[in-house]
């Protein structure tokens, strides 16, 4: 950000303060509650393009909490905003999953860069995070979220009912489809149907699920996975979409199921 840009931004913030609108809230409004996909990050060789991966590196700033991924593990930490100044907690928490070396290198570089962030700039081109000298550390573009309805959602993780969220069994292929008219359908071990209500982030099944009664011999444990998945759907009380990921949560905010967008739903299973 140039000195002139900074002066103009701070002048606008001062005018907003004079009119009774908090400058910090105004500045944070462009930063927060949006999904930012990484496009470039700083290394010793200069700005480097983010890797193309099945799951892009995406960060989100919301109510003082930073969450997301640098391409491999999930990151979580705190931040503060003052005008166009941004400070991110150096004590970022992370899962410990191993990924291919290029992704791990990117994640390490992004994590280091986040601890050096001193400012930000939101424009029509996206988000830029800068250091104390206004040098670009990280660049992002806004990630458009996949629609809740009309999408085939492929299950990746589910709450097993024992206090853990676990990955689906290899070889299992559970999907969920939600229609604009409130119909729900999908495939687990069995095909299933039902109704749902979703509005403003709230989500609930409408009535019980109906499913066929087939037992599936493989993969081993898939019938137990199906029972736990159906129970997780019954507990769902809210949803959030971050890019191409759908998460169903219970009334306490605990994750019940995670899905990845596959493709637009053309027809319900069994149609």
């Amino acid at each position: 950000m140039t000195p002139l840009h900074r002066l103009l931004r701070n002048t606008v913030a001062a005018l907003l303060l004079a009119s009774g609108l908090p400058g910090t809230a105004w500045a944070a409004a462009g930063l927060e509650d949006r999904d930012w996909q990484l496009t470039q990050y700083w290394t010793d060789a200069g700005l480097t393009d983010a890797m193309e991966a099945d799951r892009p590196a995406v960060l989100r700033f919301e109510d003082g909490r930073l969450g997301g991924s640098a391409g491999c593990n999930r990151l979580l930490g705190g931040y503060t905003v003052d005008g166009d100044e941004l400070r991110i907690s150096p004590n970022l928490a992370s899962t410990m999953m191993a990924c291919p070396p290029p992704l791990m290198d990117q994640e390490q570089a992004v994590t280091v860069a986040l601890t050096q962030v001193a400012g930000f700039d939101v424009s029509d081109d996206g988000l830029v995070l800068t250091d104390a000298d206004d040098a670009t550390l990280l660049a992002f573009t806004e990630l458009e979220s996949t629609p809740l309805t009309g999408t085939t959602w492929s299950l990746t993780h589910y709450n097993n009912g024992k206090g853990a969220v676990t990955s689906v069994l290899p070889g299992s292929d559970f999907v969920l489809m939600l229609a604009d008219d409130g119909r729900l359908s999908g495939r687990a071990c069995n095909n299933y149907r039902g109704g749902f209500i979703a509005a403003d982030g709230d989500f609930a099944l409408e009535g019980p699920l109906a499913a066929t009664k087939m037992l599936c011999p493989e993969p081993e444990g898939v019938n137990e996975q199906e029972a736990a998945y159906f129970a997780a759907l019954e507990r769902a009380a809210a949803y959030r979409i971050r890019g191409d990921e759908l998460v169903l949560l219970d009334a306490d905010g605990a994750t019940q199921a995670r899905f990845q967008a596959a493709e637009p739903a053309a027809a319900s299973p069994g149609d």
Side-chain angles (χ1 to χ4, degrees), residues 163-238:
V165 177
T166 184
S167 301
V168 297
L169 293 168
S172 63
D173 182 21
F174 287 19
V175 298
L176 169 69
M177 290 175 281
L178 306 167
D180 290 333
D181 61 3
R183 290 185 303 150
L184 172 156
S185 61
R187 180 182 65 250
C189 166
N190 290 274
N191 292 336
Y192 62 94
R193 296 178 181 276
F196 75 98
I197 299 173
D200 300 324
D202 294 331
F203 181 95
L205 295 187
E206 190 173 32
L209 292 174
T212 55
K213 303 297 184 181
M214 180 177 64
L215 288 177
C216 301
E218 57 182 26
E220 184 178 354
V222 70
N223 296 290
E224 291 78 7
Q225 176 177 285
E226 179 184 72
Y229 169 60
F230 286 165
L233 290 179
E234 295 281 356
R235 292 190 295 267

Side-chain angles (χ1 to χ4, degrees), residues 12-26:
V12 174
L15 291 172
L16 287 171
L17 282 170
S19 66
L21 297 173
T24 298
W26 166 78

Side-chain angles (χ1 to χ4, degrees), residues 38 53 55-58 68-73 75 97 99 103 106-107:
L38 182 70
R55 299 185 64 184
V58 177
S69 167
C72 179
N73 288 280
L75 302 176
M97 182 172 62
C99 293
L103 273 180
Q106 173 178 292
E107 178 175 85

Side-chain angles (χ1 to χ4, degrees), residues 23-106:
T24 298
W26 166 78
L31 171 72
E32 296 184 320
D33 302 327
R34 301 164 76 176
D35 297 308
W36 296 108
Q37 181 174 346
L38 182 70
T39 56
Q40 292 182 307
Y41 62 97
W42 179 260
T43 69
D44 291 339
L47 283 176
T48 302
D49 291 339
M51 293 185 59
E52 294 186 6
D54 292 337
R55 299 185 64 184
V58 177
L59 296 181
R60 185 179 181 89
F61 298 84
E62 189 171 12
D63 296 330
R65 301 298 294 170
L66 166 66
S69 167
C72 179
N73 288 280
R74 294 187 177 277
L75 302 176
L76 183 66
Y79 69 90
T80 58
V81 177
D82 184 6
D84 60 358
E85 296 181 358
L86 173 66
R87 294 290 188 276
I88 297 173
S89 170
N91 301 317
L92 290 172
S94 172
T95 55
M96 303 299 289
M97 182 172 62
C99 293
L103 273 180
M104 296 300 291
D105 292 342
Q106 173 178 292

